[in-house]
Amino acid sequence: MSKKRTPGQEAIEKKGWLRANTWLLLRRASQLGILGMFLLGPLAGLWLIKGTLSASTAFGFLPLTDPLTVAQSLAAGHVPEAAALVGMLVVLAIYTVIGGRMYCAWVCPINLITDTAAWLNRRLEIKGNLNLSRSLRYWLLGMIIISAAITGSIIWEWFNPVTMLQRGLLFSMGFGWLLAAEIFILDAFVLRHGWCGHLCPVGAAYSLLGFTAALRVKAARRERCTDCTDCFAVCPEPQVIRPALKGSSDVILSHNCLNCGRCIDVCPQEVFVFSKRS
Amino acid sequence: MDSDDKKQEQSPSRRRFLTETIPAAAGALVLAVGLAGHQRSANALPPYAIRPPGALPEEKFLAACLRCGQCVRACAENLRQDKSRTTASPAAPAPQLGESISQLAELGENAPLETAVPTLRLAEFGGDIAPGTPYFIPRISPCRMCEDMPCVKACPSGALNKNLASINEAKMGLAVLVDQENCLNCLGLRCDVCYRNCPVIDKALTLEMQVNQRTGVHARFIPTVHSKHCTGCGKCERSCVLENAAIKVLPLSQARGTLGSHYRVGWEEKDKAGHSLIPEALQLPVRRPEEKP
């Protein structure tokens, strides 16, 4: 343990750079591709998808609506029209199958920031002394719904960095970049995985769809594990891995798993694979 | 977490409750109180910002608007189509959305009245309008009064109410002649520009003739807004030739007074009842100083 170990280095040596970064590259393609589809409209006049992550219309007919935003609207006393409700059902259906937090790893633009911050945090070996509970996000989620009911307003959208950053890129940024900068500073220098892993109520809402998700990461060849801990080092929710490696089921069952597939990438022993829940 | 093992040894549930649950709940509560406090202070729309046609009353609007911006897109798209239909006039360069109001002056008189800028904007983070909600600034870009109301059609949530039958029934705000000292018509000139630009001319905006007391021989034609017909589109404010418009569109909550709920307008009550509400004129006793009662 005296020698510094860079997570993923051994995987690159054993499997080659491409196979040690496959899911990361796919994920970046997905994140940037979705952002690009939104941006094609205002930049090039090609409207594949109109709106923002809080609500949009894809290909001119398919409504998509963020469930947390609709939940706040309902709590605030407004029953949205059919388009928004159908859009919510579409989103719920998609993420119930592929895993709620697939949104966090594959769609959310903030993930680009938090991944960069986590990388910097690892490189600089910063151990922040802030200790927050990972359940704080669920409390926040509850408080947001209650606050929406009390104030009669979709209150989280005053501050939601997820939609704020995207809306800023699509319309006008204002001071929205401040929120992104704060999250970067929090994650890089104060608390590793501070935003996505501890605070973000949007991720918490999506993770509630993860209990039944069909798509899961499985430690299929866990007998080959050498306890190198590379997967723990890169995982934004490291507590979800251990049960799959050491517990009774070899599937990562936790609803907090993002299905990002980074553990699959960095494992030199090729322990992990994407699989069905079973 | 790496300290999980240690925790397991010392009554895990109690320890968890003390070290995680209580601080997390307390933290969430503090944040929620902050959120709610902020919301309370930010409930009112600033006077320069007007919501799109069909918008629910502000407090309901904030519960309904999903902050998706599709109305803003529809508005810009409509303007683009309009421009390609009509041959492009040499318009002033379209300013970017979200430009500050202070840049309005640059746009000034050079911009054509049929605006080159899309009407609707999406509020940014850090301003005094709920971020992600649509609004427009009449002085820069009034509502173009599209008959098919593309913004309302684009709204997925009903924050812009589709029950609005016609754009002429919209109540986005209300025009008010706020400066009766500098309005050129009030000074006795025949400017009439706001009146001529009103899409509901002679109903929403009329010119009321008065005697010009200054000269004694001329007339003054006072621009007069009628709330029953005014849509709040803002074309009057946009077209006002003064450096700072004398006629301004204000949100309804700020433009209108409210009668006391117990007030009754006598002549209306009389019409409703079909007869006078008091039997006869009162007979007051006549008291003269020289007469003893």
Side-chain angles (χ1 to χ4, degrees), chain A residues 56-73:
Chain A
S56 60
T57 308
F59 315 115
F61 72 94
L62 181 68
L64 297 164
T65 319
D66 177 50
L68 177 57
T69 313
V70 173
Q72 288 175 79
S73 188

Side-chain angles (χ1 to χ4, degrees), chain B residues 60-133:
Chain B
K60 287 186 185 155
F61 185 81
L62 290 176
C65 173
L66 298 173
R67 280 72 162 164
C68 71
Q70 293 186 74
C71 52
V72 178
R73 293 296 186 220
C75 182
E77 173 64 10
N78 182 278
L79 176 67
R80 200 187 57 75
Q81 286 172 354
D82 264 10
K83 273 191 198 159
S84 59
R85 259 200 301 277
T86 57
T87 47
S89 58
Q96 292 299 300
L97 286 181
E99 271 197 340
S100 67
I101 309 159
S102 62
Q103 280 168 294
L104 161 70
E106 287 173 33
L107 216 67
E109 295 160 30
N110 298 325
L113 278 185
E114 284 308 317
T115 46
V117 200
T119 300
L120 292 181
R121 295 140 187 272
L122 210 58
E124 312 166 335
F125 176 71
D128 44 6
I129 307 169
T133 58

Side-chain angles (χ1 to χ4, degrees), chain B residues 184-263:
Chain B
L184 296 184
N185 271 42
C186 292
L187 290 173
L189 286 84
R190 288 303 300 271
C191 163
D192 296 2
V193 169
C194 56
Y195 165 75
R196 289 181 193 286
N197 275 290
C198 178
V200 202
I201 186 170
D202 284 328
K203 284 182 180 162
L205 193 51
T206 57
L207 295 177
E208 302 296 324
M209 190 170 74
Q210 288 180 2
V211 174
N212 186 337
Q213 301 285 356
R214 181 175 59 83
T215 65
V217 293
H218 299 95
R220 299 197 307 159
F221 293 85
I222 308 298
T224 307
V225 179
H226 304 274
S227 66
K228 187 172 175 225
H229 295 289
C230 175
T231 63
C233 73
K235 289 191 179 189
C236 53
E237 179 178 346
R238 176 71 186 84
S239 63
C240 178
V241 301
L242 300 192
E243 285 184 10
N244 185 1
I247 189 165
K248 288 187 165 82
V249 173
L250 299 175
L252 278 173
S253 61
Q254 297 179 42
R256 300 212 67 181
T258 310
L259 281 176
S261 59
H262 61 294
Y263 282 27

Side-chain angles (χ1 to χ4, degrees), chain A residues 4-278:
Chain A
K4 217 163 67 182
R5 183 183 172 89
T6 312
Q9 195 56 44
E10 194 188 339
I12 292 175
E13 283 158 17
K14 278 204 172 164
K15 305 194 290 188
W17 188 87
L18 193 63
R19 285 196 53 220
N21 287 290
T22 310
W23 292 106
L24 182 64
L25 291 172
L26 286 174
R27 215 151 55 75
R28 291 288 176 263
S30 164
Q31 290 164 335
L32 295 171
I34 288 168
L35 191 58
M37 274 166 64
F38 275 102
L39 277 168
L40 269 179
L43 292 186
L46 185 59
W47 296 101
L48 296 175
I49 185 160
K50 217 177 248 187
T52 61
L53 284 175
S54 60
S56 60
T57 308
F59 315 115
F61 72 94
L62 181 68
L64 297 164
T65 319
D66 177 50
L68 177 57
T69 313
V70 173
Q72 288 175 79
S73 188
L74 289 168
H78 176 78
V79 180
E81 278 181 6
L85 293 176
V86 170
M88 179 182 70
L89 292 179
V90 171
V91 170
L92 287 177
I94 293 171
Y95 288 108
T96 309
V97 175
I98 65 172
R101 295 204 66 194
M102 199 94 171
Y103 176 87
C104 303
W106 293 76
V107 178
C108 180
I110 290 287
N111 184 266
L112 291 162
I113 292 169
T114 55
D115 271 2
T116 314
W119 171 83
L120 187 67
N121 182 287
R122 280 196 300 274
R123 284 301 294 264
L124 301 177
E125 297 182 67
I126 294 168
K127 281 224 156 156
N129 55 6
L130 182 65
N131 189 16
L132 285 182
S133 164
R134 281 188 182 262
S135 63
L136 180 54
R137 50 190 152 176
Y138 295 102
W139 289 96
L140 273 176
L141 175 61
M143 286 298 168
I144 282 166
I145 301 293
I146 293 169
S147 302
I150 293 172
T151 60
S153 165
I154 299 182
I155 194 161
W156 177 234
E157 285 306 303
W158 275 95
F159 303 99
N160 185 356
V162 177
T163 48
M164 207 73 75
L165 179 66
Q166 200 221 18
R167 203 187 293 123
L169 293 170
L170 295 176
F171 290 89
S172 62
M173 187 58 88
F175 289 98
W177 60 272
L178 268 178
L179 289 173
E182 278 171 21
I183 287 176
F184 183 85
I185 291 167
L186 172 74
D187 275 29
F189 305 116
V190 184
L191 177 64
R192 181 177 291 186
H193 305 302
W195 178 253
C196 305
H198 297 77
L199 290 169
C200 180
V202 181
Y206 275 101
S207 75
L208 296 180
L209 307 176
F211 285 108
T212 54
L215 183 66
R216 295 279 76 175
V217 173
K218 185 179 180 182
R221 291 178 285 269
R222 62 180 181 174
E223 68 283 354
R224 291 163 64 171
C225 174
T226 60
D227 293 332
C228 74
T229 70
D230 275 6
C231 55
F232 287 94
V234 295
C235 180
E237 303 280 348
Q239 77 280 7
V240 308
I241 298 180
R242 200 223 292 262
L245 282 177
K246 311 290 178 194
S248 54
S249 165
D250 59 354
V251 180
I252 294 180
L253 292 170
S254 169
H255 57 289
N256 283 328
C257 172
L258 284 77
N259 276 357
C260 71
R262 192 65 184 138
C263 53
I264 306 176
D265 279 345
V266 301
C267 181
Q269 305 299 330
E270 304 188 48
V271 166
F272 300 100
V273 288
F274 270 122
S275 149
K276 294 201 307 273
R277 173 189 290 268
S278 59

Side-chain angles (χ1 to χ4, degrees), chain B residues 26-48:
Chain B
L29 188 66
V30 167
L31 281 163
V33 169
L35 278 179
H38 177 268
Q39 175 61 31
R40 189 173 282 236
S41 69
N43 242 340
L45 199 59
Y48 61 82

